Amino acid sequence: MSEQTEIVSKSAVAIEAARAQGRPALITYLPAGFPDIQGTIDAAVAMAENGADVIEVGIPYSDPVMDGPVIQAATTQALAQGFRVSSIFDIVAGITARCDAAVMVMTYWNPVMRMGVHEFSRRLAEAGGAGLITPDLIPEEAGEWFAASDEFGLDRVFLTAPSSTPERVEATVAASRGFVYCVAVMGVTGARAEVSAATKGVVDAAHAAGAERACVGLGVSRREHVEEIGAYADGVIVGTALVAALGEGGVPAVAQLTAHLSGKDVA
């Protein structure tokens, strides 16, 4: 697929800009439609204004595999308020109109399949989205997504974990565009007091397989986590702590926590 060399990856550009500043990229996550659609947009923009380089917006799902209790509660609220998959494009467009952060959509594969991979990809690109993070899609089953993401210039981010074999890591790295999502712990999402001991090994394996950008998610909640992981990873992904902040203190709390995580409030 020679045309891949002509595609400019929005998430790669954002991560490389952070690297040029001598720091890991800060990647932040929010569930779409929480606390409501406008609230998601406002919170995401506040993240961008306070140091987030890449913003993940997750499509709520009624039967999540990876989500911990904080994110489950938020997605349940969004669904109860009538969130529809098509609303994700309004959210992405609302964010990209107001900031320069790369906006990725994180979703299980079924909602994309139900809409149609080509149609979903077209609408995401039109909204200014950077691409998709797909936790339950493996490269061997992603042929249609490869074609659509190439056609519309979208990033495709696959996941590796502590349990991934060397062969699986190589396949994941080869299939990804933008960055590789390194899952730091086995289990569901959630803020943790300490960084998993397996984290560096997952990142090192991705780098060894050729990943130019390996970013770590699951369990990150504090500035010291960002600094520790940033010593060997290219980006740090924070979700649960920010979702909790939004639920408890609204957009101002999200702005404050993002500034802390990015080091903007560190003298």
Side-chain angles (χ1 to χ4, degrees), residues 8-18 21 23 25-30 40-57 91-105 124-125 127-131 154-155 179 258 262 264:
V8 177
S9 162
K10 292 181 179 179
S11 65
V13 168
I15 295 167
E16 291 300 332
Q21 296 173 18
R23 61 179 179 83
L26 178 61
I27 303 172
T28 57
Y29 168 90
L30 284 177
T40 304
I41 295 171
D42 292 343
V45 172
M47 289 172 169
E49 291 174 344
N50 286 278
D53 302 290
V54 179
I55 296 168
E56 298 178 15
V57 183
I91 291 173
V92 172
I95 299 168
T96 57
R98 292 170 54 189
C99 69
D100 294 328
V103 180
M104 301 286 294
V105 171
L124 179 59
L154 296 170
D155 294 344
F179 63 95
T258 305
S262 68
K264 284 196 168 189

Side-chain angles (χ1 to χ4, degrees), residues 26-29 56 65-69 71 106 108 133-136 157-163 179-200 202-203 214-222 225-226 228-229 232-233 235-242:
L26 178 61
I27 303 172
T28 57
Y29 168 90
E56 298 178 15
V65 176
M66 291 176 57
D67 296 335
I71 294 177
M106 187 175 213
Y108 296 105
I133 302 167
T134 51
D136 63 340
V157 174
F158 294 90
L159 283 68
T160 64
S163 60
F179 63 95
V180 174
Y181 192 123
C182 297
V183 178
V185 293
M186 301 300 290
V188 299
T189 58
R192 290 170 171 82
E194 297 179 352
V195 175
S196 167
T199 303
K200 188 174 186 299
V202 180
V203 173
C215 303
V216 172
L218 271 68
V220 179
S221 62
R222 302 176 181 176
H225 294 166
V226 176
E228 179 182 347
I229 294 171
Y232 52 81
V236 182
I237 303 164
V238 185
T240 297
L242 288 161

Side-chain angles (χ1 to χ4, degrees), residues 83-91 115 123:
F83 179 86
R84 295 291 180 265
V85 172
S86 59
S87 298
I88 192 66
F89 308 114
D90 297 327
I91 291 173
M115 179 173 290
R123 294 181 68 177

